[in-house]
Amino acid sequence: MATDISAPENALEPQGAARLSILTKEQALSEWDVLGDLFALAIPSSLGRRTIEGVRQEIEDDLGMVVIAWDPDPKAPVIYAAFLIESEQYGESKKVFNIALCGGSDIEEWGHLFWQFRDMAKELDFNQIEIVGRAGWSKFIGSKAVRHTFIEELA
C-alpha cells in the first residue's frame, strides 16, 4: 500500500557532476514538460498499469516523489532520467523505497549513480529498496533478484 511521501526541505545533493536529486512537488510540477516526456518513455513498460496523467496525479497527491539523474553543469544542464519513488510500509518493520517507474536515456549514462539511491533511502529512513525492472538493472545494482514476476493478460 502506498503511503504519503514528500521530499525533505533540503534535497540531497551528492558531490560531483552527474548526480541524483530529489525534487520537491513544486519543482516536479513546474518541470512537468520535461519530466512528463521522460516518464512517458516508461509508460509502455508499465504493462498498462500507469498513465502519464496518473503519474502526475500521484505526484500532486504526495503519493509519489520524483528523483532525477542529472548533470547540473551551469552551461548545459541535462536530465538523464526521472524516477517515481513510492513509499510502502509492511507491518512496523519494513519501510520500502520503491523505484516504481523510470524513464529517460540509456541506463549506461546514469546507472553508475545507483549507490546514491542507497544513501538517499537510508537518509530518508527506509530499510529496503525495491525495483521491478528489466534485467539490465542487475548490472548496476549489484543485488540479487529475489523473485520473478509472471503476468498473463486475460481477455
Side-chain angles (χ1 to χ4, degrees), residues 48-146:
R49 296 176 181 175
R50 295 191 184 271
T51 64
I52 198 65
E53 298 82 10
V55 171
R56 182 182 172 106
Q57 190 64 53
E58 193 170 334
I59 295 163
E60 288 176 358
D61 293 344
D62 292 320
L63 296 174
M65 175 175 70
V66 176
V67 172
I68 57 171
W70 69 305
D71 184 342
D73 182 339
K75 295 177 185 170
V78 61
I79 299 176
Y80 300 113
F83 307 86
L84 179 67
I85 309 300
E86 296 174 338
S87 173
E88 297 185 19
Q89 185 75 40
Y90 296 95
E92 293 184 27
S93 63
K94 287 287 180 201
K95 184 177 176 189
V96 179
F97 184 94
N98 180 10
I99 301 174
L101 192 66
C102 167
S105 65
D106 192 280
I107 194 171
E108 296 288 335
E109 294 187 74
W110 51 264
H112 66 284
L113 301 173
F114 186 79
W115 65 270
Q116 293 178 16
F117 276 122
R118 290 184 183 107
D119 290 349
M120 186 180 291
K122 286 178 186 176
E123 181 73 23
L124 295 171
D125 295 323
F126 288 90
N127 51 24
Q128 194 173 68
I129 295 176
E130 179 178 73
I131 304 167
V132 176
R134 292 180 281 199
W137 278 84
S138 63
K139 178 178 173 182
F140 298 95
I141 296 171
S143 302
K144 66 177 181 166
V146 295

Side-chain angles (χ1 to χ4, degrees), residues 21-33:
S21 294
I22 297 171
L23 299 185
T24 64
K25 174 172 63 173
E26 293 75 19
Q27 289 170 322
L29 295 174
S30 72
E31 295 297 327
W32 187 251
D33 288 345

